[in-house]
Structure formats: C-alpha cells, structure tokens
Amino acid sequence: MLRRAAAAVVAGCFFLTTIFVAPTARAGMFSFDLKDERELGEKFNAIIRARMPLIEDTEINDYVTSVVDRIVRIMPPQPFSFNVAIVNNNAVNAFAGPAGYVFVFTGLMLSMEHESEMAGVLCHELAHVSQRHIAKRMGEIQALSIGQLVGVLAGVVLGQTTGNRDLGAALAIGSQAATAQAYLKYSRDDEREADQVGMNYLVAAGYPPRGLVEAFETMRKLRWMQGGGDIPTYLSTHPGLDERMSYLKDRLGKLPAGVQARKDDDTAFKRAQMLVRARYTDPKNAVSYFRKLGDKATCLDKLGLAIALSRSMEDVRQAKPAFEEALACGGSDALVLRESGRFFLKIRDFARAKALLEAALRANPKDIDANYEYGRMLAQEGNYKAAVAYLEQVRLRVPENGEIRATYGQVLGQAGDVFHAYLNLAYAAIYDNNPRQVKFQMDKAKAAAKTDADRRELAKLEETFKKRSEYMGKKAFE
C-alpha cells in the first residue's frame, strides 16, 4: 500500500539532487558524544527516508521490529531506543546507523531461508552499534560538522546500495569528504568484534546459532551465482567474509549441544516474506513464483498469488477467483481478510469490501493498512467524519508518510476541518520532498489558522520543514 515511489524512480532522482546541510555542532577529535550521535542519527534517518522508498505495512514492519526488539532485549542497556524501517530495495543489505536507526532491505528478507539468518545479520549490525564503531570513527574525524558528517555517511550508504560511487560523492560535502568516506569503512577488527558480539546476541536471543553463518553462506552463494560480478551489497560493505566464517564455524562447534540443536521457527518470517514478494516485487515474477508452488501452496501462498495477480495488468481478471480461493482456505486470517477487502474495494464492490475490512479490523484493530483502506472507503461513501477517525489512527502510527498525510488532509477538508486539511497536505509535501507545494499549503494553513493551538501546530510544521529542507534538492527550489 504505502510506498513513496518505486525504487527505480528514487534511484534515478539521486542524480538530480544534491544535499545541502547547514553547519551545526562540530565533531572534532574526541568530542563526538551521545548528544552528537543522536543529532547525527536523526539527520541520517531523515536523509535516508527522503531518498529511499520505505514500506509501511503492519504485517511486515511489526514483524521485523519484533525481531529487532527480541535482540535488543538481551543486549546491554543502550543510551537510545531503536527505530526500524523497511527499505523497498532488492539489495541484500541491512544497516544500523548512528543512535539506533535500523534499516532492513526487502532484498535481504527475500534472500534468506530462515528467520535466524536475517536475525544473524541484524545481530551483527546491532553489535556495530553497541560497540559504537561508527561513533568512534566519527569522533576521530577532524574539521567536519555534524551536518557534513551526515552527508558523508549517507553518501557511503546510498552509494554502496545503488552501486553508484558518483552518488556517494554527490551527497558528500567538502574537500575532506573523500578521506572521510574511506575512513568510515569498517575495519577488519570492527568486523571480527561485530561477528563475536553478534553471535553472542544471536545465542542469547534464543535463535539457532548457525543463522549468522548460514546468512553469510547464502550471500557467498549469490556471489558465485553471479559469476563474481555484482556481489550482494552486504559483502561489499563488510569485507573479509571467508576468513571470518572460518572463525564463526569454529565457535559453533564449541557451543553446548542443546544450543547447536535449536530448531528454526519460521512461521512469522514466511508470512512476512510472502507479503513482501507478493506486494512489493515485480508482479509477473511474483505470479510465476507462487504458481510454481502448485500443490505445495499453503493458504498464505494462495493469498500471495491473488495479491500478485491483482497487481499484474495481464492477470488482474484472474485475481477475483484467486482471492475467493484464499478466503475459502484461510478466511479467518486477518491478513487474508485485509488483502481481500482491499481488492474488492479496488474493483468497487463496496459491500463486499466493507464486510471484509470490518472483519479484518475485528481480528486486528491495530492493522494500519486495514484502517487506511476502511477510512478511504468510508470517505468514498461520504461518511467523512467517521473516515477521519480511522485515518487519524493511521497518521499517528505512521507520521512521516506522504501518501497517508495527503489522504488524511483531503478527507479532513471534506469533513470541513480546513486548517488541519492544509496542515496535513503541507506535511505530505514535506515527506514527498516537494518544497514548492509545502510553501503553497503552508500559506493556506496560515490563512485558515484561527486559534493559538492552530498557530502552535503551524510552528511545529515550520520547524519540521526547516529541518527537512536541508535534505531537499536545490532544483526543487528553483
């Protein structure tokens, strides 16, 4: 449902924009403290969210967040909370930025066979955070401001993710950028420590300890299958894999037999993996994948086929009977109900859509997608005030999504709340990186403001715009 843009479009936009960051706190030698790290993390999070297509789906996001939370619970206390985002990109990658901002790519989710493998990669990344590898290196880079550092760090991440070094250079600022980019790469000592600590986290979290090794083996196989050409992004940013795997296998053999014998529980992982493949990968490829399962297809696989068919222009007519089959197989599942309701809303069978979405919300009242689709349906029926209540729940849960804000703003306008309509349309433009539209909607909101509370909300909007405008392209202002 809720994507900013297709990955290819976003990647293309990288070439057209340059990041402008105002100088702020200095990060000179040994002066990079937790306050600096929090500021860097917030700015880094903003720039990645502005430049990469994120998925906002209850099933997927809650699942990956639960895996991260499971690991964080057994880690030593950290000075910040962890925030998880899912990037819709086929790179086999995940990274944890400063101050606990974690990004997991759909390519990693689809490439792994077991939850323990994905968890192993996340344990390694979280170990980089807990051991403050990035923070330590940031503190040793002289003469760069926090604003310049975030440009360099984001340039490294985005340049490696897209495979385009020019992109990384475009995002970095100042004559020291090239040196800083080279300096920010993890050293072999960093990698060994993250392997060791990450393995400890994986075992303590109750996962099969082979997950980390199997994840690395999967990535190595992908490299072989590609003939040594374009390798998984994770391997390009985490070198020396073969040497480290030998050590990790030796550690596995020394673990207690009961720990080594742990079994994988992939129920939730396969559920999220199905949804990622069905809704966020190429629909034709997804249709082919689910059809090849044949008699082995589960109820969720049947739902995956129905979702993929509904997205393919060539196969959409086959989607309705596929959804009926999924409902007959697993019609009590909130996800089956939600996705079926969304489809029947799409084909304008409002009565069927309403019944299915209401059933989905009874089964899972916190489902963001179900609330969003039901709110949109109520708006189409002209029941704007009721629609606002559902969309408000979505807005509170996912505050930085342009599509959600735009829909919410439009429905608020239809419900007669003009000020908040313009306010949310301005936020939508901010999160869609459209400064011209921000200024237009902001002027409308100012004209509609009547109370002190309205003006306080306007002040927050202006502050948000000020912070985010640092990461908007120059051409957008011209």
Side-chain angles (χ1 to χ4, degrees):
M1 173 185 78
L2 305 173
R3 291 179 293 173
R4 281 203 179 87
V9 173
V10 173
C13 290
F14 287 148
F15 296 101
L16 304 178
T17 60
T18 302
I19 302 303
F20 294 90
V21 185
T24 54
R26 305 297 294 179
M29 183 70 78
F30 307 122
S31 66
F32 191 81
D33 57 17
L34 288 174
K35 180 181 178 182
D36 292 327
E37 185 171 356
R38 285 193 181 91
E39 181 181 351
L40 179 64
E42 290 174 1
K43 291 178 179 291
F44 177 76
N45 179 55
I47 199 172
I48 296 299
R49 286 180 171 275
R51 302 285 161 170
M52 296 297 286
L54 301 184
I55 289 175
E56 301 287 1
D57 184 295
T58 304
E59 287 284 340
I60 299 169
N61 292 61
D62 284 2
Y63 164 68
V64 177
T65 298
S66 73
V67 174
V68 172
D69 287 346
R70 177 175 172 179
I71 300 166
V72 170
R73 280 195 296 270
I74 55 84
M75 290 171 59
Q78 298 299 305
F80 32 67
S81 59
F82 286 82
N83 297 275
V84 181
I86 314 301
V87 181
N88 186 23
N89 187 292
N90 62 6
V92 183
N93 202 15
F95 60 87
Y101 289 94
V102 181
F103 295 86
V104 180
F105 287 57
T106 53
L108 178 71
M109 296 180 67
L110 292 176
S111 296
M112 299 297 105
E113 289 294 323
H114 301 289
E115 178 179 306
S116 62
E117 296 176 20
M118 184 183 76
V121 174
L122 291 173
C123 284
H124 179 98
E125 287 303 300
L126 292 174
H128 278 305
V129 175
S130 67
Q131 306 313 111
R132 303 197 73 223
H133 290 155
I134 293 179
K136 290 174 183 177
R137 289 180 173 274
M138 289 290 185
E140 295 169 2
I141 298 176
Q142 301 183 58
L144 290 183
S145 69
I146 296 296
Q148 290 169 321
L149 282 173
V150 73
V152 172
L153 183 59
V156 170
V157 171
L158 295 176
Q160 288 168 338
T161 297
T162 62
N164 188 293
R165 300 298 177 181
D166 292 336
L167 169 59
L171 290 172
I173 300 171
S175 59
Q176 305 97 331
T179 301
Q181 283 182 305
Y183 195 79
L184 285 173
K185 292 182 179 178
Y186 291 130
S187 68
R188 287 184 180 271
D189 287 341
D190 289 342
E191 293 295 0
R192 290 191 191 98
E193 185 176 28
D195 288 339
Q196 294 172 18
V197 175
M199 178 66 81
N200 293 341
Y201 291 164
L202 191 66
V203 172
Y207 283 106
R210 62 187 175 276
L212 181 57
V213 174
E214 290 179 347
F216 288 162
E217 287 181 337
T218 296
M219 294 180 192
R220 190 167 60 175
K221 289 177 183 177
L222 289 174
R223 177 173 60 190
W224 290 342
M225 291 170 61
Q226 293 166 347
D230 293 333
I231 64 176
T233 300
Y234 201 80
L235 299 190
S236 69
T237 57
H238 294 68
L241 184 61
D242 290 343
E243 173 189 341
R244 290 156 48 208
M245 283 180 62
S246 177
Y247 163 79
L248 288 171
K249 288 180 178 178
D250 184 60
R251 275 202 66 187
L252 282 177
K254 296 177 180 179
L255 290 170
V259 174
Q260 293 187 50
R262 287 175 181 170
K263 302 296 184 182
D264 285 292
D265 179 359
D266 294 323
T267 304
F269 175 69
K270 294 299 182 183
R271 184 181 180 90
Q273 198 177 50
M274 176 281 295
L275 191 54
V276 168
R277 177 174 282 111
R279 183 156 294 287
Y280 300 104
T281 67
D282 179 81
K284 290 184 179 179
N285 291 342
V287 168
S288 176
Y289 172 88
F290 289 113
R291 279 181 168 159
K292 285 181 181 178
L293 295 176
D295 294 339
K296 296 180 180 179
T298 65
C299 291
L300 283 175
D301 292 327
K302 292 178 180 180
L303 175 63
L305 176 60
I307 295 169
L309 287 168
S310 72
R311 296 175 57 229
S312 173
M313 294 299 293
E314 297 178 5
D315 301 316
V316 68
R317 292 183 179 178
Q318 303 173 52
K320 185 174 181 179
F323 274 110
E324 297 290 6
E325 185 174 355
L327 284 165
C329 185
S332 61
D333 188 320
L335 180 59
V336 175
L337 293 165
R338 180 192 89 183
E339 292 296 326
S340 300
R342 168 186 284 164
F343 171 72
F344 283 102
L345 181 60
K346 179 180 178 180
I347 63 173
R348 304 186 70 78
D349 186 342
F350 295 119
R352 188 78 185 281
K354 188 172 186 178
L356 289 165
L357 289 172
E358 286 176 345
L361 287 169
R362 285 194 298 271
N364 184 5
K366 296 182 179 180
D367 188 306
I368 295 305
D369 291 70
N371 276 277
Y372 181 79
E373 298 296 346
Y374 192 66
R376 287 201 314 133
M377 187 201 66
L378 290 174
Q380 290 181 21
E381 292 179 346
N383 192 352
Y384 302 121
K385 290 186 177 180
V388 165
Y390 285 93
L391 295 175
E392 170 69 1
Q393 295 301 311
V394 180
R395 196 275 302 173
L396 290 172
R397 177 77 179 273
V398 190
E400 296 186 14
N401 183 281
E403 181 184 343
I404 290 173
R405 288 282 192 164
T407 301
Y408 184 47
Q410 291 164 4
V411 175
L412 282 167
Q414 292 167 323
D417 189 345
V418 176
F419 169 74
H420 286 101
Y422 287 129
L423 188 81
N424 279 277
L425 290 173
Y427 274 115
I430 289 174
Y431 301 132
D432 284 335
N433 299 304
N434 189 340
R436 282 201 186 111
Q437 189 63 212
V438 175
K439 292 176 180 178
F440 174 81
Q441 299 294 348
M442 192 180 294
D443 287 342
K444 292 286 189 180
K446 287 178 181 178
K450 303 297 183 184
T451 68
D452 289 341
D454 291 346
R455 284 181 276 275
R456 285 193 294 271
E457 290 190 73
L458 270 174
K460 291 180 181 179
L461 170 66
E462 290 170 347
E463 181 63 22
T464 300
F465 180 46
K466 180 181 178 182
K467 290 180 178 179
R468 293 294 290 253
S469 63
E470 296 175 357
Y471 311 109
M472 294 181 178
K474 181 180 178 182
K475 288 185 179 294
F477 289 95
E478 295 175 346

